Amino acid sequence: IVRKNCTMLEGLQASELTLYSILIFLFLENLVNLYLTRRQIFVYETSKDIPAELRDVMKKETFEKARLYGLDKANYEVFKLLVCDIAISSIELYTGFVAMVWMRAMEVTARVGLDNGSEIQVSIVFLLLINVIGTFKDMPFKIYSTFVLEEKHGFNKQTPAFFIKDQIKSFLVGQMLSIPIVAAIVYIVQIGGNYFFIWLWAFVGVVSLVLMMVYPVYIAPLFDKFRALEDGELKSSIEQLAASLKFPLGKLFVVEGSKRSAHSNAYFTGLFGAKRIVLFDTLLLNKGLPDDSTLTDDEKGKGCENKEVLAVLAHELGHWKLGHIRKNIIIMQVQMFLIFMAFSQLFKYSPLYQAVGFPPNVQPILIGFLVIVMYVLAPYNTVISFAMTILSRRFEYQADEFANGLGYSKELGKALVKLHIDNLGFPIYDWMYSAWNHSHPTLLQRLERLKSLQKKEK
């Protein structure tokens, strides 16, 4: 009896140590984010003059709008960080919220006629419950961000009906994808033996690649309307650019992103065989329409000219030509393997479950996976995230250099400035905030690099 009580006491102490270690790191990580965001807020509040590099292309009025937009976003970021990432997350961890939801999932599983002795079935019900709770928890922030923050600065194009419909579709599609994946993960851990992490890694790797191929063809059209790029000078120029680089271009699409937001973008999809290039209508001059009579005064004249669009695509195709997508996929697969291997070594450690509110000897696989990936490996994830940010910025510079090599340096610079102005991007950033948060170099850094490349060539 004494030995059993000592073991229980040691387990309790270990679980408390685990819980407080998680809470301390969570607090410190968010404290760093808060400090960096406050540094950037100071930049927004004190920067009143347009940088010399942009005085010929950026109006004082636009600079002021971008400054206020950035300031509002940063203050919202601070509020959300304090409420969600510090207060709510800490309360949920300390009170054993996840364990409460799991117990309720067992009750619901039995109530609807399923087997609450089946961990797979309980895990599915738990996933549904936690996702419903998460949706309602995030909804006030989404509504504020869309209909207050973005609306105030002229970017929101969604009606309440469109927003509600979009949220319902997102939730349903999310559950349809996540439920079978979670069920398979639990099953593989149950039957995979000591080396289940290898089978788990192979399964998740295949699923990830399949989703990369399936998403643009079947899922993305559920949320946005795509149309083929009209025949004309732009389409011919893009096809010639792709052919010159031996890029296996399949189809060219324009997505009507303006129904959702006024922000611009361009990307290509497809891992094997023919690929798709997708242009946001907001990227194109006057949304790519031959007649601008349907546009509002605020929309007229926005977007990039054809040569500037080609420069943006030259940059994107540079990522493909230089193997950045392949390298990122390899890094992602290595990361997943290491995470699953760590999970296999830690998921039977009872104090992890007791730390989040479970009684001894109750160790659901899904809970163990969530706790280990989200909290135990949080320091590792933070380091890797920062390393990937550094690598991403390096890739962006390389893609800019590739576009410069194709003769698009001047047009790319113009396009970057236009997109920055159209999206009310603020050109001045605190160096620490930018280094930690931005996967892309700042506008001024990219313009300086393009200028140095041009001088080097001359």
Side-chain angles (χ1 to χ4, degrees):
I1 294 174
V2 172
R3 186 179 299 170
K4 184 177 179 180
N5 288 339
C6 288
T7 303
M8 291 178 64
L9 182 60
E10 289 173 359
L12 182 62
Q13 291 174 340
S15 66
E16 288 181 346
L17 178 62
T18 301
L19 174 61
Y20 290 127
S21 298
I22 290 172
L23 288 171
I24 289 171
F25 182 81
L26 180 70
F27 177 76
L28 291 176
E29 183 181 33
N30 285 299
L31 192 63
V32 171
N33 288 327
L34 182 62
Y35 167 72
L36 294 175
T37 305
R38 286 299 308 168
R39 286 178 63 99
Q40 181 57 31
I41 288 174
F42 178 76
V43 171
Y44 288 133
E45 291 174 340
T46 57
S47 300
K48 304 294 183 179
D49 297 322
I50 302 173
E53 301 91 329
L54 301 176
R55 284 174 189 163
D56 294 335
V57 292
M58 194 175 201
K59 296 178 181 179
K60 182 67 175 177
E61 179 186 3
T62 305
F63 179 82
E64 184 64 14
K65 285 181 178 179
R67 187 183 72 84
L68 295 175
Y69 179 47
L71 183 60
D72 284 349
K73 286 198 299 180
N75 284 324
Y76 168 70
E77 185 180 330
V78 168
F79 175 76
K80 189 176 180 182
L81 185 147
L82 291 172
V83 173
C84 293
D85 299 338
I86 295 180
I88 294 178
S89 294
S90 298
I91 291 170
E92 287 181 349
L93 280 168
Y94 193 78
T95 59
F97 174 75
V98 171
M100 296 178 197
V101 177
W102 180 267
M103 298 308 170
R104 181 54 58 90
M106 293 187 69
E107 296 174 7
V108 172
T109 303
R111 194 175 302 162
V112 298
L114 298 175
D115 180 12
N116 67 354
S118 166
E119 187 173 340
I120 292 178
Q121 294 182 30
V122 177
S123 295
I124 290 172
V125 175
F126 169 82
L127 183 67
L128 285 170
L129 290 178
I130 207 74
N131 285 341
V132 169
I133 294 169
T135 298
F136 281 102
K137 189 169 62 176
D138 292 341
M139 194 57 61
F141 297 96
K142 287 184 179 179
I143 292 172
Y144 177 85
S145 176
T146 303
F147 293 103
V148 178
L149 182 57
E150 295 293 308
E151 184 83 29
K152 175 183 176 181
H153 295 279
F155 287 111
N156 175 48
K157 303 300 178 182
Q158 300 182 59
T159 64
F162 182 93
F163 178 83
I164 293 171
K165 182 180 177 183
D166 202 51
Q167 296 302 311
I168 292 173
K169 283 194 293 186
S170 296
F171 181 82
L172 293 176
V173 170
Q175 305 322 299
M176 290 174 63
L177 293 174
S178 61
I179 286 175
I181 292 173
V182 165
I185 287 174
V186 175
Y187 181 70
I188 290 171
V189 175
Q190 287 177 334
I191 69 165
N194 293 332
Y195 297 100
F196 72 83
F197 63 93
I198 297 176
W199 302 108
L200 192 57
W201 169 68
F203 168 74
V204 174
V206 170
V207 169
S208 300
L209 296 177
V210 169
L211 286 177
M212 287 182 187
M213 293 184 289
V214 168
Y215 179 83
V217 181
Y218 299 105
I219 299 176
L222 296 174
F223 299 93
D224 295 297
K225 185 177 180 181
F226 291 76
R227 57 180 169 86
L229 180 64
E230 296 82 359
D231 293 334
E233 179 188 349
L234 179 59
K235 183 176 181 180
S236 300
S237 299
I238 293 174
E239 290 173 342
Q240 290 171 10
L241 175 63
S244 69
L245 299 174
K246 297 182 180 180
F247 179 78
L249 177 61
K251 295 181 180 180
L252 276 165
F253 288 100
V254 176
V255 58
E256 294 184 2
S258 56
K259 289 186 176 180
R260 184 184 304 277
S261 170
H263 294 296
S264 309
N265 201 359
Y267 62 92
F268 69 86
T269 62
L271 291 176
F272 310 106
K275 304 181 189 301
R276 300 175 165 211
I277 289 179
V278 179
L279 309 172
F280 277 52
D281 59 352
T282 46
L283 175 69
L284 308 178
L285 184 63
N286 294 327
K287 296 185 181 179
L289 299 173
D291 180 13
D292 64 0
S293 59
T294 58
L295 302 178
T296 64
D297 291 338
D298 187 53
E299 292 172 332
K300 291 179 181 178
K302 284 191 173 182
C304 296
E305 297 178 357
N306 288 353
K307 287 185 178 180
E308 294 162 353
V309 174
L310 284 173
V312 172
L313 288 178
H315 168 92
E316 295 300 327
L317 293 176
H319 286 304
W320 170 79
K321 193 71 174 179
L322 297 171
H324 294 165
I325 290 87
R326 182 177 64 254
K327 292 173 184 176
N328 278 328
I329 290 174
I330 292 172
I331 292 171
M332 180 182 71
Q333 294 299 323
V334 172
Q335 279 294 101
M336 285 197 300
F337 181 83
L338 294 176
I339 288 172
F340 290 144
M341 186 169 65
F343 168 64
S344 71
Q345 300 301 310
L346 297 172
F347 84 107
K348 291 184 179 180
Y349 184 58
S350 182
L352 288 179
Y353 302 87
Q354 295 177 45
V356 292
F358 283 86
N361 301 320
V362 178
Q363 302 178 17
I365 292 169
L366 179 58
I367 301 299
F369 183 76
L370 293 176
V371 171
I372 291 168
V373 172
M374 292 176 61
Y375 301 118
V376 177
L377 296 180
Y380 170 79
N381 293 335
T382 299
V383 172
I384 293 300
S385 176
F386 182 58
M388 290 303 296
T389 298
I390 295 173
L391 181 64
S392 175
R393 291 165 73 96
R394 179 178 176 83
F395 283 171
E396 292 303 319
Y397 278 133
Q398 290 177 352
D400 282 351
E401 187 172 353
F402 182 84
N404 172 75
L406 295 177
Y408 287 105
S409 182
K410 185 178 179 180
E411 289 79 10
L412 180 59
K414 287 182 178 179
L416 291 174
V417 171
K418 276 190 177 180
L419 292 174
H420 223 69
I421 291 174
D422 289 349
N423 289 286
L424 288 184
F426 195 64
I428 306 172
Y429 285 96
D430 173 76
W431 72 272
M432 289 180 66
Y433 176 86
S434 178
W436 186 257
N437 289 283
H438 290 166
S439 61
H440 288 53
T442 66
L443 172 64
L444 296 181
Q445 288 171 334
R446 294 178 73 177
L447 292 178
E448 180 63 28
R449 179 63 66 89
L450 287 171
K451 188 184 295 184
S452 67
L453 289 172
Q454 288 176 305
K455 288 181 180 179
K456 188 177 178 180
E457 286 183 353
K458 289 180 180 179

